[in-house]
Amino acid sequence: MKSKTHRSPMRRYTTALLLLGGLFLISPLASAQLATCTGSEEYYVQWPKDGVPVWEMCFVTPENSSAADGSGLELREVYFGGYQVFERAHSPMLFADYSSSTCYRDWKDVLSNFLADNETIGGVMAEPTMPVETTCDLSQDPDIPVFNCPYATGRPGSDCFEGVAVQWEANQLILSTQYSAAWYKYESRAFFFDDGSIEFLFGFGNSDGTGSGTTHWHHNYWRLDFDIDGTSDNDQVFLNDTLQSTEFSDLRDATGGPMGGPVTWSVIDQASGRGYRLEPSANDYNLIHNESGSNYHEVDLMATQYHPGEFADNPDNFLSDCEMDETALVNGESLAGEDIVLYYMAGVKDTAGVDMMICKKAGPRLVPIGDWGPVTDVIFDSGSFE
Ligand SMILES: [Cu+2]
């Protein structure tokens, strides 16, 4: 069980008052920073960029991310409206599974440059004024690879950046990065919207066409360590609306939920009723379950009990160890009154001779449940916060 800093209701109330003051007095006020970002290589980001934060978090770049051979874009201490959502959100398991016998468990800790101008912290952070463009964004021809930054865009090489690009839009905060495993260029993005919803998006780019003659599947597992309200010992997991008491794995089902809707999964703080519902995106359903027949990546969702230092099914990350062993994570432990970690997989298929080099993206949406308090009420009442 992790020890957690409990945030006092008074502090949240103060946050709300500060926000109201900011709205009505139109004066810059000191922000009530909750995410501490005092760990090694952690960097603080809030949205809006100035004033009282609606979203707060720390990020680390892929090269400093946790887990064996990294975990890509890693976010820690994520807060919405003054309440904690995640202790950590990252992508520690990443696979490329070929229709031949080849299969890789890729590394996730090697930065790869992409187009993001206005680098503000060298090798760490950019605050782009121009569009962010990754290998995946630009790889849209079925046969022709885009190679390396600055690609063939005509943009200057000085716009090529390694690290995390942060964009403050009118209604959302966007963090983007790219990392490489040899010719593969993986894009990881996170979108934090003003209504509290979150989207995670993963793009599976190929810089030079290596392996393009062989149909293959890519799978990325996000690891979402929820600590709703900062209390790690009382989150509950729901399959649709049914409380679950024991660890489980599951598959996407677009019509298998209530009234023919999709199957979803929720994590809700037992005390406050605040939580998040995880919904697959439309693209996530494009991946056919175990289509390769390898039986390597057989589950889309795992609801597990938190264990310190457990970031994946395996403490190592050997390239050839391509099977994701769900039994190492889902093994009958309790989910009742526990610290909860959800793993969620989305992936894509690249088909030889059809759409191989057209880069595809996938990833879930998370929607807030319950009352996220006066801060968010003010945002909803006043429209866009900025
Ligand atoms: Cu591919």
Side-chain angles (χ1 to χ4, degrees), residues 184 204 216 218 350 356:
Y184 286 128
F204 303 84
H216 57 269
H218 296 276
D350 291 326
M356 175 57 66

Side-chain angles (χ1 to χ4, degrees), residues 215-282:
T215 295
H216 57 269
W217 295 260
H218 296 276
H219 301 84
N220 175 60
Y221 283 84
W222 284 269
R223 177 181 179 274
L224 306 176
D225 176 5
F226 289 87
D227 284 351
I228 307 282
D229 287 358
T231 51
S232 61
D233 58 352
N234 66 344
D235 286 345
Q236 298 181 305
V237 183
F238 294 80
L239 169 53
N240 292 319
D241 296 319
T242 305
L243 180 64
Q244 304 295 306
S245 61
T246 307
E247 291 181 332
F248 65 96
S249 58
D250 208 350
L251 297 176
R252 278 180 286 273
D253 188 334
T255 59
M259 293 179 287
V263 169
T264 64
W265 309 273
S266 301
V267 176
I268 300 175
D269 183 90
Q270 186 171 11
S272 70
R274 276 181 284 278
Y276 270 86
R277 182 176 66 249
L278 191 158
E279 303 174 343
S281 69

